[in-house]
Amino acid sequence: MTREVKMGMNRTGMQMSPRDSKELLQGSQRTVPTSEGDESMLAAMRGEYVMEADPLGSVPPPGTAKGMFKAGAEMLTGNRAEVLLDKLGERLAFERGGTRLYETLIMKCLAAPNGREVIQLDVLEEIHREEARHFDLLRAAIEQLGGDPTAMTPCADVTGVQSLGLVQAMNDPRTSIAQCVQTILIAELADNAGWELLIRLAQEMGHDELVQQFQEALAHEGRHLVTVRDWLEKLTLSEAKLLSTA
Ligand SMILES: [Fe+2]
């Protein structure tokens, strides 16, 4: 089984049929939007929906006495602890998703050994373990702040929706190792920016212990990013026969 990109029977481009493409262009010129048929009405209607829509869920109030106490203490400082809990929930969801993306990539590398000339399986497994540890770190941080790590916060919900494409691309049996590594690269870029924002937020709220732990996680993510970029570069160059990996 090879997943190398090849020239084949792809008929999606206009160049495949010059006669039809000419007709298509003529058609598009006949249907130029007029002032009555522009998108302003649609935009106005969408605007109404945006104005009327409820927010995407909420952060639950603390369900334990200890949580109540922590939330109360945070409120006395004037901070909105729910913002931190929401972002922690988001990172928790993303790290869980990231762990699963790596699990699939490991499975694919085992099934399709051609990627193994570039990807070191032990490094891949180490990154996977680190993502899982980050998940644990976030769970503990949420508990420490009196929150419920099993709650789906609004930002966690959005993250779930955003990640759907990554999960689909990764789990499609037809995607190559390089395409899967590209998918992971998107996750790692978001990972790095996500931890940076979380560190800033925790810093501003005076959670110094969390800041230290989050900085360690960010250091890991920095290494993941360098590694994944390097893998993608090598896989792509070797596919283009510009690099020998044998
Ligand atoms: Fe990562």
Side-chain angles (χ1 to χ4, degrees):
M1 176 211 64
T2 174
R3 292 276 184 269
E4 272 188 2
V5 67
K6 277 194 240 124
M7 289 203 192
M9 295 298 286
N10 182 335
R11 296 185 184 279
T12 57
M14 282 176 69
Q15 289 179 4
M16 279 294 114
S17 179
R19 209 189 62 197
D20 290 326
S21 60
K22 201 169 144 206
E23 232 176 88
L24 185 72
L25 285 174
Q26 284 166 351
S28 72
Q29 276 153 10
R30 279 200 303 275
T31 54
V32 175
T34 62
S35 55
E36 295 102 56
D38 67 13
E39 293 161 3
S40 61
M41 275 175 72
L42 194 56
M45 186 188 269
R46 283 187 172 139
E48 277 173 38
Y49 278 115
V50 170
M51 294 302 288
E52 284 170 12
D54 291 327
L56 198 76
S58 59
V59 175
T64 63
K66 187 178 146 215
M68 285 287 200
F69 176 75
K70 300 247 181 188
E74 194 79 47
M75 274 162 73
L76 288 176
T77 66
N79 290 335
R80 295 192 63 226
E82 57 269 46
V83 176
L84 181 57
L85 284 170
D86 188 20
K87 296 308 276 183
L88 285 168
E90 174 194 306
R91 285 246 51 76
L92 184 80
F94 203 85
E95 294 290 333
R96 177 177 49 224
T99 307
R100 289 186 181 147
L101 289 178
Y102 274 104
E103 273 161 21
T104 309
L105 184 58
I106 291 170
M107 181 275 290
K108 281 211 169 184
C109 282
L110 291 172
N114 57 324
R116 301 249 289 276
E117 294 127 19
V118 169
I119 297 177
Q120 308 86 2
L121 212 52
D122 55 333
V123 176
L124 190 57
E125 277 164 354
E126 177 59 24
I127 297 179
H128 168 250
R129 278 193 295 275
E130 277 175 352
E131 301 288 3
R133 278 205 293 272
H134 294 168
F135 173 83
D136 255 345
L137 163 66
L138 288 155
R139 182 188 50 74
I142 293 169
E143 281 173 350
Q144 197 190 317
L145 294 170
D148 180 355
T150 63
M152 169 77 86
T153 73
C155 282
D157 193 347
V158 176
T159 280
V161 175
Q162 289 164 342
S163 307
L164 278 178
L166 303 184
V167 174
Q168 280 181 336
M170 184 60 87
N171 285 284
D172 189 319
R174 298 166 301 174
T175 46
S176 68
I177 300 288
Q179 287 158 349
C180 290
V181 172
Q182 166 72 40
T183 306
I184 290 261
L185 177 61
I186 297 172
E188 288 295 0
L189 286 165
D191 256 349
N192 275 268
W195 281 109
E196 280 169 10
L197 178 58
L198 205 51
I199 288 168
R200 177 75 204 275
L201 191 59
Q203 240 161 11
E204 295 291 332
M205 289 191 172
H207 294 292
D208 296 340
E209 201 189 316
L210 290 182
V211 169
Q212 212 182 352
Q213 293 171 358
F214 295 170
Q215 268 163 346
E216 272 176 44
L218 178 63
H220 296 153
E221 299 295 4
R223 286 202 303 274
H224 298 176
L225 187 56
V226 171
T227 308
V228 168
R229 287 177 95 134
D230 179 58
W231 284 342
L232 184 59
E233 193 178 292
K234 287 193 174 122
L235 286 164
T236 309
L237 289 178
S238 72
E239 194 177 350
K241 305 267 183 266
L242 297 167
L243 183 79
S244 165
T245 53

